[in-house]
Amino acid sequence: MGFYVDRIAPRLTHLCCGSRRIAEQRGLIVPQAEGVVVEIGFGSGHNLGFYRKGKVTQVVGVEPNVGMLRLADRNLAAAPVPVEFHQGVAEDLPLETHSADTAVLTYTLCSVAEPARALSELRRVLKPSGRLLLLEHGRSDEAGVARWQDRLDPVWTVCAAGCHINRPTRQAVEAAGFSIEQLDTFYLRGAPHVVGFHSRGIAVPR
């Protein structure tokens, strides 16, 4: 699995997460970031083109997979804002407490090893006035779809190098000490319902 996780899965993820429909969703949430931004699951840097120069002072990206970082060069070169990225895990962020104005969580909660701990770290590094911008796929609100997600998740997780399709986004964010200010839930157009249930919105530390 080492070669698959390091070489094959990053390229598949890069292609899937760079699709036009996903880019449209990124464009609805990422431009709202401001100040110092911490982005976990930085991946190959698909969010970078959506940050606004003059509004964002710095992006600190954290990504555990070296294979993903190898694919980030083109997006880094075209980034409109300063970027500092680290190979590391979301559960142990290299930032001081209350040092970030915005946290960006896009297509990451599905694959982190410890979602609760990762969200707790985001809450720690956010200023009390900070905001969490999220765009995630996860557990459907429809019971029938959720049951199929539970059935398929063990196989999907292996094929997708650790991605889970049945993690409940809203519940996880609220359990970590955030209040949801705005949340839109929907199925991504063109995607099977079992993998396409999305949550897009804004949360703030309680």
Side-chain angles (χ1 to χ4, degrees), residues 4-79:
Y4 180 78
V5 170
D6 291 341
R7 297 288 181 174
I8 305 301
R11 293 187 179 278
L12 293 175
T13 302
H14 173 74
L15 290 173
C16 292
C17 290
S19 71
R20 177 178 56 82
R21 287 174 180 167
I22 286 180
E24 289 171 353
Q25 294 303 320
R26 294 182 194 274
L28 295 174
I29 192 70
V30 178
Q32 299 183 58
E34 56 187 5
V36 175
V37 177
V38 56
E39 180 182 333
I40 64 172
F42 181 79
S44 55
H46 280 308
N47 284 334
L48 290 179
F50 296 100
Y51 291 117
R52 293 181 177 174
K53 185 177 181 179
K55 189 174 180 182
V56 170
T57 56
Q58 183 183 35
V59 174
V60 180
V62 179
E63 168 61 44
N65 190 304
V66 176
M68 292 302 300
L69 294 176
R70 291 193 194 104
L71 300 173
D73 289 347
R74 180 178 297 181
N75 288 325
L76 285 167

Side-chain angles (χ1 to χ4, degrees), residues 139-162:
R139 189 175 190 83
S140 174
D141 288 340
E142 293 186 75
V145 176
R147 282 194 296 271
W148 273 107
Q149 289 176 316
D150 290 338
R151 293 184 186 116
L152 295 173
D153 188 69
V155 175
W156 178 269
T157 301
V158 173
C159 296

Side-chain angles (χ1 to χ4, degrees), residues 118-139:
L119 286 165
S120 178
E121 272 290 270
L122 287 181
R123 189 177 182 280
R124 177 185 69 80
V125 302
L126 269 179
K127 295 177 181 178
S129 59
R131 297 189 303 166
L132 169 65
L133 308 180
L134 64 95
L135 172 63
E136 292 287 337
H137 76 104
R139 189 175 190 83

